Amino acid sequence: MIVIAVANQKGGVGKTTSAINLATAFAASGWRTLLIDLDPQGNASSGLGLASASRGASSYDLLVDEVPLSECIATTKISNLQIVPATVDLSGAEVELVSVPGRVERLRTSLASVQEYDICFVDCPPSLGLLTLNALTAADRLLVPLQCEFFALEGLSQLMQTVEQVKERFNPSLRIVGIALTMVDRRNRLSEQVSDDVRDVLGDLVFSAVIPRNVRLAEAPSHGLPALIYDHHCAGSIAYMTLARELISRLPSLRKAA
């Protein structure tokens, strides 16, 4: 199974939207897909139609109480896609785990024996705390959504440093699979300038596909659906399908190994 952490310590960059829609695109392509919601806000869970009251065992139980992964998985309305939901309890997980031995390896341990999925996306909180470290320690690859704004590169160097530290201490195989430019407004010259600057700095690490600002992307979570289901033909959905195809092209050796 391939594990991809979707992370950026800056909030509001389209991280959860990317995790939901990429997971949906992979599931629609026949990949047996698992999405793990590690954000205490639980937006990935609600974005897939799981009401707070209906969530049973969650990612909190998985990490803190070491409840088996199979007992934390919930079904979604989408074929081939299941989720480990998050609840508000997760907000206290970092405090509860701080003195626990092997605290950054809890997620990796839980995923170690899983055979029934082809790929797992982990939606991380907007921070570089213990929850994100668990995701990076468990992941084969990191996907970074980067908002196309003036301060797009602010904080990215810190994330890169964290990745290097995780590689040295916990997960030598971790690599960045790509940077996805999000919230691009082609009517705004600043968006194009920032996009060009990011590509100049990061080169081929940046995906060719870009995610535009799109009303239907913003509306979809309120209906408990990914944009790919809510409006398959909108510009945002088409962009995420293009991004998913590009991501798949960067994973062939990993999929063979999986």
Side-chain angles (χ1 to χ4, degrees):
M1 179 176 68
I2 304 167
V3 181
I4 298 179
V6 182
N8 188 329
Q9 76 270 29
K10 190 175 186 299
V13 299
K15 176 182 53 59
T16 298
T17 299
S18 296
I20 289 173
N21 286 288
L22 285 173
T24 301
F26 272 71
S29 299
W31 292 55
R32 296 169 299 170
T33 307
L34 177 66
L35 175 60
I36 298 180
D37 190 351
L38 278 192
D39 189 339
Q41 296 178 78
N43 290 337
S45 304
S46 58
L48 285 175
L50 273 75
S52 299
S54 66
R55 298 171 199 173
S58 66
S59 52
Y60 169 86
D61 302 291
L62 184 73
L63 294 180
V64 176
D65 296 328
E66 296 183 292
V67 173
L69 180 69
S70 59
E71 296 181 20
C72 300
I73 292 172
T75 58
T76 72
K77 303 171 185 176
I78 301 157
S79 178
N80 287 328
L81 176 58
Q82 294 182 304
I83 185 172
V84 175
T87 63
V88 68
D89 293 339
L90 193 60
S91 59
E94 296 201 1
V95 174
E96 295 182 56
L97 289 173
V98 70
S99 61
V100 175
R103 57 189 176 274
V104 302
E105 299 172 351
R106 289 268 174 133
L107 182 59
R108 179 166 66 184
T109 301
S110 296
L111 293 174
S113 60
V114 175
Q115 304 291 335
E116 58 266 39
Y117 299 99
D118 299 311
I119 193 163
C120 171
F121 290 93
V122 184
D123 183 34
C124 300
S127 70
L128 293 178
L130 198 51
L131 296 175
T132 298
L133 286 178
N134 259 273
L136 296 180
T137 301
D140 301 295
R141 295 292 184 267
L142 167 65
L143 189 150
V144 184
L146 194 67
Q147 185 177 0
C148 231
E149 62 172 18
F150 185 72
F151 295 110
L153 294 176
E154 185 179 285
L156 186 59
S157 60
Q158 184 183 357
L159 178 60
M160 298 289 197
Q161 291 171 7
T162 300
V163 169
E164 291 304 314
Q165 292 171 0
V166 170
K167 286 171 64 176
E168 290 177 10
R169 298 182 59 187
F170 307 112
N171 184 6
S173 64
L174 179 64
R175 299 288 185 276
I176 298 177
V177 71
I179 311 291
L181 298 180
T182 62
M183 302 183 180
V184 175
D185 186 349
R186 297 196 181 280
R187 301 168 300 177
N188 187 333
R189 292 182 59 188
L190 180 60
S191 280
E192 289 198 18
Q193 181 182 341
V194 171
S195 176
D196 291 342
D197 290 345
V198 171
R199 293 186 190 281
D200 287 342
V201 173
L202 299 172
D204 292 340
L205 203 57
V206 184
F207 289 105
S208 297
V210 298
I211 309 303
R213 286 191 178 276
N214 182 252
V215 172
R216 305 299 267 177
L217 283 180
E219 290 176 348
S222 66
H223 296 270
L225 293 170
L228 268 68
I229 304 298
Y230 178 63
D231 186 347
H232 184 71
H233 298 290
C234 74
S237 293
I238 293 170
Y240 272 116
M241 287 186 284
T242 302
L243 178 60
R245 286 193 292 269
E246 193 173 353
L247 177 56
I248 288 172
S249 73
R250 298 190 181 194
L251 301 174
S253 60
L254 284 178
R255 193 182 193 192
K256 186 184 295 182

